[in-house]
Amino acid sequence: MKWRLPRPGYRLWLALMLLLLGGVLVLIDQRDIREPGEVPRDAAGEPDYYLEGARLTRFDAAGLAHQRLETPRLVHTPHDDVTRLEMPEARLFDNAGRTWYAEARNGLLGAGGNPLTLTGDARLYAPQERWQLDTEVLRFDADSGHAWSETPAVLRQPPQRMSGERFDAWIHDNRARLTDNVRGYHPPETPTANSEDPAQ
């Protein structure tokens, strides 16, 4: 007489499939967990918090957004109440609703979140006016809408280009100024093919 094991039933197969699926999902879930980076150290002291992939929005006294910042990493140190930013990208909003863009390798928000200081290949764009400023250190006071640089700056509005030792912009007034040892390149305008020839 031969002894035979009974065939596994439908419920047993279903339970085995569910267990297998659960194991695969646990492995996938564990692979997606990112370990936090090393806690940054700074001369200002140990941070009380740091964020990765952060977006910050600042509001004015009327409750309107007037500054947005995106950064892969920010670190706040309580000793000096300063927030340090890596590769920050900023959107600055003026009273007329225009958006100005700024970026740099590093950034720093002063105590209370103002001013914003951008360092290392700092740039300020005014898209509607089609000009771009390049400098090493750019500061922006969000309360007054004043952006300035005390390091050599190059202002480009193609095909024109100007440089100076100091730059100031008041975004609410849509006004900019280069001062000290200002030099410029202003190519002469060339007549377009559609312009009428006065000799005809």
Side-chain angles (χ1 to χ4, degrees):
M1 186 174 182
K2 290 184 179 177
W3 181 263
R4 288 173 127 200
L5 290 172
R7 284 181 89 188
Y10 169 75
R11 290 183 184 199
L12 181 61
W13 283 113
L14 184 59
L16 288 173
M17 292 287 281
L18 288 174
L19 282 173
L20 181 63
L21 180 62
V24 169
L25 289 175
V26 166
L27 286 174
I28 290 173
D29 190 45
Q30 286 179 349
R31 287 178 48 180
D32 286 344
I33 295 173
R34 284 190 347 159
E35 291 296 320
E38 181 182 337
V39 175
R41 307 281 180 210
D42 193 271
E46 189 167 322
D48 54 350
Y49 67 86
Y50 68 96
L51 300 172
E52 294 180 345
R55 287 183 179 177
L56 299 109
T57 302
R58 293 193 67 219
F59 297 89
D60 61 17
L64 300 173
H66 67 135
Q67 181 177 296
R68 285 202 177 114
L69 291 168
E70 290 189 27
T71 175
R73 185 178 178 104
L74 71 79
V75 178
H76 179 266
T77 48
H79 172 71
D80 52 5
D81 191 21
V82 164
T83 304
R84 290 161 180 79
L85 314 162
E86 292 181 6
M87 303 296 291
E89 294 181 1
R91 290 182 182 198
L92 315 171
F93 306 104
D94 65 22
N95 290 342
R98 291 181 298 251
T99 303
W100 302 58
Y101 299 91
E103 64 184 24
R105 286 199 305 263
N106 298 293
L108 188 137
L109 280 170
N114 201 39
L116 169 65
T117 302
L118 300 173
T119 56
D121 296 327
R123 285 194 172 147
L124 178 66
Y125 303 96
Q128 290 189 348
E129 288 73 23
R130 297 183 307 109
W131 62 255
Q132 169 187 318
L133 175 86
D134 293 289
T135 188
E136 192 57 31
V137 180
L138 178 69
R139 292 182 172 85
F140 178 69
D141 185 322
D143 296 331
S144 64
H146 181 208
W148 73 96
S149 173
E150 295 170 343
T151 56
V154 177
L155 183 66
R156 292 180 177 89
Q157 188 176 31
Q160 302 177 78
R161 181 179 68 249
M162 292 186 296
S163 63
E165 299 298 316
R166 180 180 171 96
F167 171 81
D168 290 275
W170 294 268
I171 69 170
H172 300 309
D173 301 329
N174 197 23
R175 191 164 52 99
R177 177 179 70 194
L178 270 173
T179 52
D180 300 335
N181 196 26
V182 176
R183 297 169 186 242
Y185 170 71
H186 305 278
E189 289 188 27
T190 56
T192 61
N194 297 343
S195 61
E196 294 182 9
D197 186 351
Q200 287 182 350

